[in-house]
Amino acid sequence: MANAIRALAMDAVQQANSGHPGMPMGMAEIAVALWSQHLKHNPQNPQWLDRDRFVLSNGHGSMLLYALLHLTGYDLPMSELKNFRQLHSKTPGHPEYAITPGVETTTGPLGQGITNAVGMALAEKLLAQEFNKPQFDIIDHYTYVFMGDGCLMEGVSHEACSLAGTLKLNKLIALWDDNGISIDGKVDPWFSEDTAKRFEAYGWNVIRKVDGHNVEAVSQAIAKAKQSDKPTLICCKTSIGQGSPNLAGTDKVHGAPLGAEEIAKTRAALGWTHAPFEIPQDVYKAWNAHKVGSQQEADWNSKFGAYRAVYPQEAQELERRMAGELSPQFETTLKAYLKTCSDKAETIATRKASQNAIEALAPALPEFLGGSADLTGSNLTNWKACQAVRANQWGNHINYGVREFGMSAIMNGIALHGGYIPFGATFLTFSDYSRNALRMAALMRIRSIFVFTHDSIGLGEDGPTHQSVEHVASLRLIPNMQVWRPCDTTESAVAWGAAIQRKNGPSSLIFSRQNCPFVSRTDKQVADIQKGGYVLRDDPTAQAVLIATGSEVALALDAAQQLKEQGIAVRIVSMPSTTTFDQQSPAYKASVLPTGLPRIAIEAGVTDYWWKYGCAAVHGVDTFGESAPAGVLYKHFGLTADQIAKTVRQCI
């Protein structure tokens, strides 16, 4: 069974002339132990609710996972393995969520797989606490991770594994491929720490010195891990490229084909006499998980049927949430809150407007799972009825600690698991720490909601280290990331509604520290906010168009009033979401930004992004900020009504 994995890995990488055969060959017996003796899954239904989750954190060894999926009976035929790393195949270079059946998350950027797994294990624990009843353990599954030295070197693994130990995520079991080799060679000169002690310090259960090439030893370690009340690290000593006579144990087998000659020698050494991509029927039969998996799911379905009979509301709620559907009450709640915003007409910071929206929408969203990276009092992501997540206490608000990257990748794992809509917050300038997790959320098209406050030079005295200048523009450049920078309470509510209702991708919500005045609107204008950009104020004699976002909408309104007094009319376009506006029809975009009128954009950030809208001028900040009160800074950087009015006069 293990040699079948080795052969498929060698053959696929050789045919593609690209890939990483060493890890699949080295972890083959570990895979046999987990997948044939412990993993609860049904290849005929990869979305079964109570399946175990398997994460290949060292995703470069993707052929290990593809071989496992093929051999156990998933819809991944041999033709796809032969098409490894080719255009539009189901076997891309690194595992990709929603491309290959059975792949739980997109991995490859090292450290993020184990961090996603922490999110999955946390979601499992919280759902179990919420839905399980006496005699009915409806949510009862494990999250397993394969990871290598590279995952452990990446800082995000420290962030996530530290939190996992604190929260006692005992159904998280990680198997470390301790082979001592990375691309640059033996890792001792740059990775000499005692990993086992590190994980013990995190509060993990650690099982040391397991022979990774002994199936029974690995299986016994997994069985022992299941008895722990802590997450477990199983240290599996292996040889990279196991089976290769000349390359095993060296960096030469990490990321390149073995070559025809060495493959022939490896086949001989393993006693594998079959042709490339040929698997004997007895091996297929040994691996196939259809019968066992179908029975496991059937048993669970029977239990869930009994659960439904006793707890019909809970059963219906669990199914709704795992399907990612919103409750019927959500739409009504959102509409009612939008009316409340109009009625109250509050002038407040949009971070406070965000919290008010959370407070109003949370009763219709039991799946809300919020949090913050140690800035809850500044990000305002908590609400009156929320409860803190603790090691042995259910909650719906997570104190992530100062772990921005870890928070974002854990959120992705929660979203991937299902059952919760995660959101987490930090200051916008620290979105840099989270960058690759944001990108992965967009690549996977999952519903993670990233909240970023303190959005510009408007935070004032904290200075350029904390003043976001380039961050909003850079977030807008991530494909499939919807970015909202609302100007008041109404736009903040619409932004939250859009993020929650969006099932096929993440959203970044950008909020201010400073107060922003409420802007009155017609019902049509409120409806048009969801299009990302709309005409906020107009005049049939307009001579220019002012485009603004966030706190700078107020500047545009002030400049327009000043110009009006001088006999110059302008159109004001509020564009809280350029990414959403860009997806509208050409006709709608032309109706908002008509040809023939000069366009002036206003945003307290870098100007480069705005030129794509054919602007005649852009008011922004193309340097780092300064430490001073916000009002002083806006004047210093020319973000004033006087300067904007002057620019309009120059452009018309």
Side-chain angles (χ1 to χ4, degrees):
M1 292 170 74
N3 287 341
I5 294 173
R6 293 190 172 97
L8 288 173
M10 289 190 298
D11 294 342
V13 172
Q14 183 69 19
Q15 179 149 308
N17 196 29
S18 173
H20 300 77
M23 186 278 271
M25 296 173 71
M27 295 194 79
E29 281 84 9
I30 302 173
V32 172
L34 174 61
W35 279 66
S36 71
Q37 298 184 27
H38 294 277
L39 192 71
K40 182 176 69 173
H41 66 120
N42 182 6
Q44 296 170 95
N45 182 12
Q47 301 305 312
W48 171 30
L49 187 156
D50 199 43
R51 69 191 181 278
D52 289 339
R53 270 62 171 179
F54 174 76
V55 174
L56 190 75
S57 192
N58 41 356
H60 55 272
S62 57
M63 265 310 303
L64 173 67
L65 181 51
Y66 299 148
L68 287 166
L69 294 171
H70 170 76
L71 291 167
T72 55
Y74 284 79
D75 183 18
L76 194 68
M78 187 66 81
S79 59
E80 292 290 351
L81 273 62
K82 293 178 179 179
N83 211 21
F84 179 56
R85 286 184 162 231
Q86 304 308 301
L87 185 64
H88 302 317
S89 76
K90 291 184 179 181
T91 50
H94 293 82
E96 292 188 38
Y97 173 73
I99 297 295
T100 315
V103 170
E104 300 283 2
T105 180
T106 299
T107 55
L110 295 177
Q112 283 195 70
I114 176 63
T115 308
N116 293 163
V118 170
M120 293 175 185
L122 177 56
E124 191 275 345
K125 182 172 185 175
L126 294 176
L127 284 171
Q129 291 171 333
E130 191 174 355
F131 286 97
N132 285 357
K133 303 292 182 182
Q135 311 301 317
F136 292 108
D137 289 335
I138 294 304
I139 305 295
D140 185 15
H141 53 266
Y142 288 86
T143 301
Y144 295 100
V145 186
F146 282 4
M147 61 183 182
D149 294 321
C151 292
L152 295 174
M153 284 186 257
E154 286 286 359
V156 70
S157 72
H158 296 250
E159 296 182 25
C161 294
S162 169
L163 186 60
T166 299
L167 295 179
K168 295 187 181 299
L169 302 181
N170 62 302
K171 288 189 174 178
L172 174 64
I173 299 175
L175 295 104
W176 168 33
D177 181 25
D178 180 15
N179 61 35
I181 296 291
S182 70
I183 295 175
D184 284 353
K186 293 183 177 180
V187 300
D188 287 344
W190 55 86
F191 186 55
S192 60
E193 68 191 46
D194 190 328
T195 297
K197 284 185 178 179
R198 190 228 292 187
F199 274 78
E200 287 173 346
Y202 289 154
W204 284 52
N205 170 44
V206 177
I207 301 175
R208 300 167 181 251
K209 298 180 179 178
V210 175
D211 181 356
H213 300 304
N214 183 321
V215 172
E216 191 54 36
V218 175
S219 182
Q220 288 176 5
I222 295 171
K224 185 178 179 182
K226 289 180 177 180
Q227 305 306 311
S228 177
D229 63 351
K230 304 174 182 179
T232 296
L233 175 71
I234 301 175
C235 306
C236 301
K237 196 66 184 175
T238 65
S239 176
I240 190 171
Q242 175 77 353
S244 172
N246 299 308
L247 300 179
T250 75
D251 58 283
K252 303 299 183 185
V253 77
H254 170 85
L258 274 66
E261 183 178 344
E262 185 65 15
I263 288 176
K265 292 179 180 178
T266 304
R267 276 182 147 79
L270 296 174
W272 189 265
T273 59
H274 312 286
F277 297 105
E278 181 183 311
I279 304 295
Q281 286 305 308
D282 62 328
V283 175
Y284 270 127
K285 184 177 180 180
W287 268 115
N288 192 282
H290 275 206
K291 183 177 180 180
V292 172
S294 295
Q295 186 60 54
Q296 288 174 326
E297 184 175 0
D299 292 344
W300 182 86
N301 286 336
S302 178
K303 182 193 294 185
F304 190 68
Y307 176 86
R308 187 195 302 279
V310 182
Y311 303 103
Q313 291 183 333
E314 288 86 346
Q316 183 178 14
E317 176 70 3
L318 178 59
E319 288 180 320
R320 176 189 71 78
R321 285 166 53 171
M322 290 303 292
E325 302 295 339
L326 298 176
S327 71
Q329 291 77 32
F330 177 76
E331 190 86 29
T332 304
T333 303
L334 177 59
K335 287 180 179 178
Y337 181 62
L338 286 170
K339 186 178 186 305
T340 299
C341 291
S342 297
D343 292 344
K344 286 189 173 182
E346 293 179 296
T347 291
I348 54 177
T350 54
R351 62 170 173 162
K352 181 59 180 176
S354 167
Q355 185 180 44
N356 290 348
I358 294 170
E359 189 75 54
L361 299 176
L365 291 166
E367 61 265 52
F368 242 10
L369 183 55
S372 178
D374 203 49
L375 291 167
T376 304
S378 293
N379 300 141
L380 306 182
T381 51
N382 55 342
W383 63 102
K384 290 177 184 176
C386 73
Q387 299 182 51
V389 172
R390 295 293 183 259
N392 296 304
Q393 172 185 299
W394 178 88
N396 52 6
H397 188 275
I398 303 168
N399 298 108
Y400 284 100
V402 188
R403 301 181 177 101
E404 295 89 353
F405 192 2
M407 173 183 72
S408 302
I410 288 170
M411 285 167 52
N412 289 346
I414 293 168
L416 287 160
H417 181 280
Y420 293 102
I421 297 176
F423 65 91
T426 185
F427 290 168
L428 178 58
T429 191
F430 301 139
S431 63
D432 285 341
Y433 283 141
S434 303
R435 178 67 49 172
N436 202 253
L438 306 183
R439 183 175 187 272
M440 297 301 286
L443 180 61
M444 291 188 280
R445 296 180 174 272
I446 56 177
R447 185 162 45 185
S448 295
I449 302 176
F450 304 102
V451 178
F452 299 115
T453 64
H454 297 60
D455 69 344
S456 66
I457 59 170
L459 66 90
E461 292 87 345
D462 277 344
T465 59
H466 285 53
Q467 290 167 8
S468 306
V469 178
E470 75 277 25
H471 299 77
V472 176
S474 66
L475 289 172
R476 290 171 178 147
L477 294 176
I478 301 174
N480 201 45
M481 175 69 74
Q482 296 291 72
V483 181
W484 290 83
R485 186 171 182 251
C487 76
D488 69 351
T489 56
T490 300
E491 286 191 357
S492 296
V494 171
W496 266 108
I500 292 164
Q501 291 171 315
R502 186 174 191 236
K503 293 179 64 175
N504 66 337
S507 301
S508 290
L509 307 183
I510 318 296
F511 299 113
S512 72
R513 176 179 184 259
Q514 72 273 31
N515 286 348
C516 295
F518 177 79
V519 182
S520 61
R521 297 172 183 82
T522 65
D523 290 343
K524 182 181 184 305
Q525 286 176 318
V526 173
D528 282 345
I529 296 172
Q530 63 186 320
K531 297 177 181 176
Y534 63 102
V535 179
L536 182 61
R537 296 288 184 268
D538 203 10
D539 189 297
T541 64
Q543 295 177 260
V545 178
L546 297 180
I547 312 169
T549 76
S551 48
E552 286 69 70
V553 170
L555 280 177
L557 289 166
D558 290 345
Q561 181 60 35
Q562 187 179 124
L563 289 164
K564 182 178 180 181
E565 293 169 0
Q566 298 166 6
I568 301 171
V570 296
R571 167 180 285 196
I572 298 178
V573 170
S574 177
M575 198 177 289
S577 177
T578 62
T579 51
T580 304
F581 179 76
D582 290 348
Q583 295 170 3
Q584 303 307 311
S585 69
Y588 178 77
K589 288 187 283 189
S591 73
V592 174
L593 299 176
T595 58
L597 294 180
R599 304 167 185 173
I600 297 93
I602 313 157
E603 185 172 60
V606 292
T607 62
D608 278 0
Y609 183 86
W610 289 99
W611 296 107
K612 73 174 188 172
Y613 292 109
C615 291
V618 181
H619 275 265
V621 182
D622 283 322
T623 67
F624 290 114
E626 299 282 352
S627 181
V632 174
L633 291 174
Y634 269 80
K635 186 174 182 179
H636 173 74
F637 287 108
L639 287 165
T640 65
D642 288 346
Q643 287 295 325
I644 295 164
K646 180 180 178 181
T647 299
V648 171
R649 291 194 297 270
Q650 292 171 343
C651 290
I652 61 176

